[in-house]
Amino acid sequence: MRTALFAAFALFGSTACVGAADDAKPLAQRAAAVLKTHCYRCHGQDGSVEGAVNYVTDLSKLVARKKVVPNDPKGSRLFRRVDDGTMPPPDERPRPSAAEVAALKKWIEAGAPAAESPHAPTPIGPADVYAAVLADLDTLDRRARRFQRYFTLAHLHNAGLSDEELQTYRNALAKLVNSLSWGSKIVNPVAVDAARTVLRIDLRWYVWDATTWNRVLQEYPYGVLDQSVTARAVAVGTAAKLPVVRADWFVATAARAPLYYDVLQLPGNLADLEKLLRVDSAENIKQERVARVGFNGSGVSRFNRVLERHDSAQGMYWRTYDFDEPQANLVDRANGGLLPDRRNAFAFPLGPAGLADNPFQHAGGEAIFALPNGLHAFYLANAANARLDKGPLAVVSDPKRPDRAVEAGVSCMSCHTSGILPKADQVRDHLDKNPKAFKRDEADVVRALYPGNDITLKLMEADANRYAEVVAKTGARVSRFEAVSTVTQKYEAEVDLLTGASEVGLPPAEFRDRISRSDALAKHIGSLRTGGAVTRQIWVQTFADLARELQLGGLYQANLNGPTLKDNTGELDPLEARGDSANQWAFAPDGRRALVASGDRSVRYYDIEARRDIKRLVGHTASVWAVALSPDGRFAASGSMDATARIWDLKTGLESARFGDHTSLVGAVAFAPNGRWVVSGSFDGSVAYWNAVNGQPGWRAEKLGPVTALAIDPQGTFVAVATPNALVLLNLTDGRELRRYGKLAAPLSAVAVSPNGKWIAAGNDLGTVHVWLVGDEKPRFTLTGHEGGVRSVAVRDGRWVLTGGADRTLRLWDATAAKPERAVLRKHAAAVTGAAFLVNGTQTVSGDDTLLALPWKIDPFINAPTEPQKELPKVPDRIPYARP
């Protein structure tokens, strides 16, 4: 009986809820329509962010951010402003009708329901960002790719920001990069993905180069070196270790000195800046080619201020003279008299020192000047004209900054939202009303330098109009809430769980759990687990711990940049690494020795048991990314970022042949079964078959896309070529395409062919492994479990597969089992970049990125009955090696 009653009640409640939802939906839709008609144009349209609100049509966010209080119209700030007629502003048309105001009120009284159920955004991960960048690079001329750099908003998209909110960030980015430009035109970043979260710039648009970009990266705290092949292809194409940075961080950091000055390449002294702008201020003042305005109460300066306009090579150059507040104590006056203080511009309107008999004594000032594209740049200087990052609080202040200090760049943009702010002159009026306060000749000079409001206000208006026209070209608009400073404040706000999870690329629940499992993270950001927040400064300080604990990848180190290209557009080798590194391993059949492709430009012939080099093969001029051992074990093949593939005699350690017809990173090499020919694949999209004795070419296949890996059929029939978009089988004899496996979920990163030539296994950047039977259209098996990209793969037959991943694990798979993962080795502390079955069939060997090689037994798992074993038993550091 109770069960029946409960069921009936549940049904009634469900029906009531559905009915309530049905009634609420029209109210919400009507409210959204009112807001769209009357508020959206200033609070969201084209990214407009008046009042720091750019989500006015998102009803759920209005509630979440407390602009609307459900069931309480009077407590809802948005409704009060609409009801009292202050929003929209009184001069805006059309105006909300009484019926529309009533509709808003009724919606709030009903609990402010959402018009639609909120949908979680489809996450955009680092792999998606790099895939979009690589696809964009493919549309560009090869020589133009090294000039391209990218900004991402993906983490903000993942945090649930609407497109209107994201547009504010796009506007801010466009305005800032053009405000840091010496180019003559406004050129806005170009969106390269469907969601418009990845934006491209060309360094040449803004007269930047690799030095400029590397200076930006010196400040970047979120630089994680992605280990995927897609990211590697992007680095090679752009000639940059880190060609992608967060747009919000860039806006908030490059808009502030000293980075602001350094990107603009401004000198350390105002006199040198004026030379750059072709302004001779002293001569202009002498020849009365300036227009001055003097006044009290500027809103920034604590005392009086003088503005001074010059013509410059780009249009206009305004500078200010700001003054310390004169002391009220008269004791220090000369000879006990009542001489005016030289910090009073009304008493001493002429100057600066050296240009008048009685000059004013200013404490510093600001320069505002037009760039070649018409936007404005800013410069703070002290009384000696030396550059300042921040103005002294005793002279100027900015209430919007955390420490109230005026910061070069962002504070100036926040204040000068319309360019030059119109200010009425008070000095000329002071002169006219106090004619006896100045000598006649001084008064004449004052009248010449301070021409009066009829002239100066027109100059300011003309400069402001030109500025507004140029700002509109960036997609932003002139308003009280300027885009760059607004985004800066949003970035500097506290980090909560959702924001933090989005920035590290995890769902909030998983991020909370990962914090709980890490003592280091719990200590610093544990408050995120309980609904709290941390400051942006603490978040930045903790990011290195986050990268390590969450295995995001290696942190970028700005001090390890290598030599740049001759034209200074990028690095000669953005993939170069220092110290022990192993980009790829090629193991001897017995597992005793291996070849290692090293990031330090060498090929290491390595004794695994002794853990030492037998020989270092030196000759490549850039990092090495591919190695192969000849079938007889006498020769080595290697591929490098220097665009060459080379053959080495392992007995002498000398180079015996070279192939130089590739034009980019040679990312894959393999010996043909006869050992006399080599196949090499390059990121330039080519695969070449060439003679291992003399380097002479045989056949060549083109336009395959970046070649990330290849493997040759031991029977000598075909070569399997892995690319970001497809697995391609080429005839080993003539290079003809035999078969293509496309429509892959992620770029391929590793490939292997079984010893009998019947099976192909390929791993991708998502951590998935596909196993094909040669001749089949679709994979026979798909293996999932890696938490990072697959960096190496080996296949013994159609059943047993061995994989190494960026998640630092080595995994053994029984592809035919219901639960294919048989064993997981977690002893590696870095990405596993090499894995191989040994010839005795009972052992394997693996090597990681830190040059650690681990042989281990597999017979307990191969001979195990049925149930897969997820973790290996404890393995000793040394185990017997297989013998052939």
Side-chain angles (χ1 to χ4, degrees):
M1 182 67 177
R2 291 183 60 191
T3 303
L5 283 172
F6 180 78
F9 179 78
L11 179 61
F12 173 79
S14 174
T15 304
C17 289
V18 170
D22 289 342
D23 292 339
K25 188 173 182 179
L27 288 176
Q29 291 175 334
R30 177 64 172 153
V34 172
L35 296 171
K36 182 71 175 283
T37 300
H38 298 288
C39 306
Y40 181 63
R41 59 182 177 271
C42 293
H43 301 282
Q45 184 174 356
D46 300 323
S48 56
V49 66
E50 200 66 35
V53 176
N54 50 2
Y55 48 86
V56 76
T57 58
D58 190 327
L59 304 186
S60 58
K61 285 183 180 174
L62 289 175
V63 173
R65 300 176 188 180
K66 297 181 172 53
K67 303 298 181 184
V68 168
V69 179
N71 309 116
D72 186 5
K74 291 184 178 180
S76 301
R77 186 166 182 266
L78 181 146
F79 178 75
R80 291 201 310 269
R81 300 253 346 244
V82 173
D83 192 39
D84 66 17
T86 59
M87 192 177 84
D91 57 343
E92 288 283 330
R93 295 292 183 274
R95 308 293 303 164
S97 66
E100 289 173 319
V101 175
L104 276 179
K105 183 178 182 182
K106 189 174 181 181
W107 165 66
I108 296 172
E109 289 173 337
E116 302 288 345
S117 299
H119 297 287
T122 302
I124 300 174
D128 302 307
V129 171
Y130 276 105
V133 171
L134 184 59
D136 180 61
L137 289 173
D138 286 343
T139 67
L140 303 175
D141 178 76
R142 182 177 61 83
R143 292 189 58 79
R145 295 172 188 171
R146 68 188 189 277
F147 300 101
Q148 311 309 310
R149 299 294 184 271
Y150 295 82
F151 300 94
T152 177
L153 298 167
H155 59 291
L156 299 174
H157 163 89
N158 296 342
L161 270 66
S162 66
D163 192 64
E164 287 86 356
E165 292 174 286
L166 293 176
Q167 188 58 43
T168 301
Y169 286 84
R170 298 184 193 107
N171 293 346
L173 177 65
K175 183 181 178 186
L176 183 62
V177 291
N178 282 290
S179 296
L180 297 171
S181 169
W182 287 100
S184 61
K185 298 177 181 178
I186 296 293
V187 191
N188 294 330
V190 177
V192 303
D193 65 324
R196 300 193 299 153
T197 62
V198 183
L199 303 131
R200 167 172 51 85
I201 65 168
D202 188 308
L203 296 175
R204 296 171 294 184
W205 293 346
Y206 313 115
V207 199
W208 295 358
D209 56 18
T211 300
T212 309
W213 187 254
N214 288 338
R215 175 65 186 91
V216 170
L217 295 181
Q218 285 179 5
E219 305 292 331
Y220 193 50
Y222 309 113
V224 174
L225 296 176
D226 196 299
Q227 296 179 324
S228 67
V229 295
T230 312
R232 192 189 317 161
V234 167
V236 170
T238 58
K241 277 189 178 72
L242 201 64
V244 184
V245 299
R246 284 174 39 177
D248 59 335
W249 168 86
F250 177 82
V251 170
T253 310
R256 298 166 49 224
L259 187 57
Y260 173 78
Y261 288 140
D262 292 346
V263 175
L264 261 175
Q265 303 165 59
L266 299 184
N269 187 278
L270 191 62
D272 293 329
L273 173 65
E274 291 180 351
K275 289 179 182 178
L276 180 66
L277 301 176
R278 302 297 298 271
V279 172
D280 188 335
S281 59
E283 194 65 23
N284 288 345
I285 293 170
K286 288 178 184 177
Q287 296 188 9
E288 300 172 2
R289 293 195 302 247
V290 302
R292 280 183 177 175
V293 176
F295 51 91
N296 276 315
S298 71
V300 176
S301 175
R302 295 185 61 183
F303 190 48
N304 42 212
R305 167 174 272 194
V306 172
L307 303 182
E308 180 177 276
R309 188 189 188 281
H310 301 253
D311 286 327
S312 75
Q314 279 75 245
M316 66 82 177
Y317 169 79
W318 286 86
R319 68 164 297 179
T320 73
Y321 301 96
D322 292 316
F323 299 84
D324 290 321
E325 186 171 359
Q327 302 196 8
N329 192 331
L330 306 183
V331 173
D332 294 332
R333 295 290 182 86
N335 302 319
L338 294 177
L339 295 176
D341 195 300
R342 293 190 182 277
R343 291 170 288 192
N344 181 355
F346 289 87
F348 296 95
L350 301 180
L355 297 177
D357 292 335
N358 296 296
F360 52 65
Q361 180 184 321
H362 70 290
E366 173 188 25
I368 307 171
F369 57 94
L371 293 164
N373 60 22
L375 288 175
H376 292 174
F378 307 92
Y379 193 99
L380 301 182
N382 62 16
N385 288 335
R387 195 177 82 180
L388 295 175
D389 293 347
K390 295 183 178 182
L393 282 172
V395 180
V396 289
S397 63
D398 177 3
K400 295 180 181 179
R401 299 305 301 147
D403 58 0
R404 300 185 64 85
V406 170
E407 293 188 78
V410 66
S411 294
C412 309
M413 295 179 193
S414 176
C415 178
H416 295 278
T417 56
S418 59
I420 298 301
L421 301 177
K423 288 291 184 180
D425 175 55
Q426 297 170 354
V427 169
R428 182 67 174 265
D429 184 61
H430 172 72
L431 172 64
D432 293 340
K433 291 179 179 178
N434 300 279
K436 296 182 179 180
F438 299 93
K439 298 177 182 178
R440 174 179 288 185
D441 57 343
E442 284 184 328
D444 289 342
V445 176
V446 171
R447 289 188 179 93
L449 298 181
Y450 296 79
N453 290 324
D454 288 345
I455 294 176
T456 56
L457 289 176
K458 287 180 180 178
L459 287 171
M460 293 177 180
E461 183 181 6
D463 288 341
N465 288 339
R466 280 193 291 269
Y467 178 71
E469 291 173 2
V470 178
V471 169
K473 294 179 181 179
T474 70
R477 64 170 67 174
V478 168
S479 76
R480 195 162 56 93
F481 288 84
E482 189 271 336
V484 172
S485 55
T486 298
V487 165
T488 298
Q489 291 176 34
K490 288 180 178 294
Y491 169 79
E492 292 173 337
E494 290 184 332
V495 177
D496 58 17
L497 181 68
L498 175 60
T499 302
S502 301
E503 292 189 12
V504 298
L506 292 174
E510 182 179 348
F511 184 44
R512 182 189 292 113
D513 181 59
R514 299 285 286 273
I515 294 173
S516 301
R517 286 186 281 160
S518 167
D519 292 340
L521 296 184
K523 180 177 181 179
H524 295 291
I525 58 173
S527 59
L528 299 184
R529 295 180 300 169
T530 57
V534 297
T535 65
R536 176 59 67 176
Q537 293 90 334
I538 293 297
W539 179 259
V540 169
Q541 289 178 356
T542 310
F543 194 79
D545 294 321
L546 283 163
R548 183 184 62 255
E549 296 290 310
L550 304 180
Q551 296 186 19
L552 302 180
L555 281 179
Y556 168 80
Q557 294 177 279
N559 61 334
L560 296 183
N561 286 333
T564 59
L565 297 168
K566 291 181 179 179
D567 57 9
N568 198 30
T569 55
E571 288 190 56
L572 194 62
D573 181 8
L575 303 178
E576 185 175 3
R578 289 166 173 78
D580 291 337
S581 62
N583 296 322
Q584 191 182 74
W585 295 73
F587 296 101
D590 63 1
R592 290 177 175 273
R593 295 181 176 182
L595 294 172
V596 178
S598 179
D600 65 1
R601 309 183 187 182
S602 70
V603 177
R604 308 175 82 140
Y605 188 35
Y606 197 71
D607 185 321
I608 292 178
E609 188 168 23
R611 298 183 179 179
R612 64 176 180 82
D613 291 331
I614 301 169
K615 283 186 174 67
R616 294 288 285 270
L617 312 178
V618 178
H620 281 295
T621 58
S623 55
V624 182
W625 284 87
V627 284
L629 192 63
S630 66
D632 61 8
R634 294 174 53 199
F635 295 93
S638 61
S640 167
M641 180 63 197
D642 65 10
T644 68
R646 307 186 187 210
I647 303 296
W648 308 85
D649 186 326
L650 292 179
K651 185 176 182 179
T652 65
L654 300 177
E655 180 184 319
S656 61
R658 181 187 305 188
F659 183 77
D661 284 354
H662 294 297
T663 59
S664 185
L665 167 69
V666 178
V669 292
F671 278 95
N674 61 19
R676 295 192 299 272
W677 290 82
V678 173
V679 178
S680 58
S682 170
F683 275 41
D684 65 9
S686 68
V687 171
Y689 182 66
W690 48 279
N691 193 295
V693 176
N694 54 26
Q696 292 301 306
W699 54 260
R700 184 183 181 91
E702 301 275 4
K703 299 181 180 179
L704 296 172
V707 176
T708 58
L710 56 80
I712 293 180
D713 164 28
Q715 314 306 314
T717 304
F718 63 87
V719 54
V721 180
T723 74
N725 302 314
L727 176 67
V728 183
L729 303 190
L730 302 178
N731 189 305
L732 189 60
T733 305
D734 56 18
R736 287 182 300 108
E737 185 172 314
L738 300 175
R739 187 176 294 277
R740 176 180 291 261
Y741 303 97
K743 297 182 179 179
L744 303 174
L748 294 179
S749 51
V751 65
V753 180
S754 65
N756 62 11
K758 294 182 178 180
W759 296 90
I760 303 172
N764 66 26
D765 270 350
L766 287 180
T768 303
V769 181
H770 297 294
V771 183
W772 288 271
L773 178 64
V774 174
D776 284 1
E777 291 291 335
K778 296 182 179 179
R780 285 287 180 97
F781 310 107
T782 298
L783 313 175
T784 60
H786 277 291
E787 297 176 356
V790 176
R791 296 290 301 275
S792 54
V793 62
V795 55
R796 198 170 77 176
D797 48 40
R799 180 179 179 184
W800 297 105
V801 180
L802 187 68
T803 59
D807 61 358
R808 310 175 188 178
T809 67
L810 182 74
R811 299 173 187 246
L812 177 67
W813 310 82
D814 180 353
T816 63
K819 296 182 179 179
E821 193 176 78
R822 298 288 290 184
V824 181
L825 175 66
R826 300 187 186 276
K827 290 192 68 176
H828 287 287
V832 180
T833 53
F837 290 101
L838 302 189
V839 291
N840 67 357
T842 64
Q843 290 176 285
T844 67
V845 64
S846 59
D848 67 29
D849 191 39
T850 62
L851 208 64
L852 173 65
L854 293 174
W856 51 289
K857 292 179 177 292
I858 59 170
D859 49 317
F861 309 102
I862 289 180
N863 300 323
T866 52
E867 191 62 28
Q869 199 166 337
K870 286 295 181 183
E871 294 286 346
L872 282 174
K874 194 168 182 180
V875 181
D877 287 340
R878 297 291 185 90
I879 59 178
Y881 284 84
R883 293 184 179 276

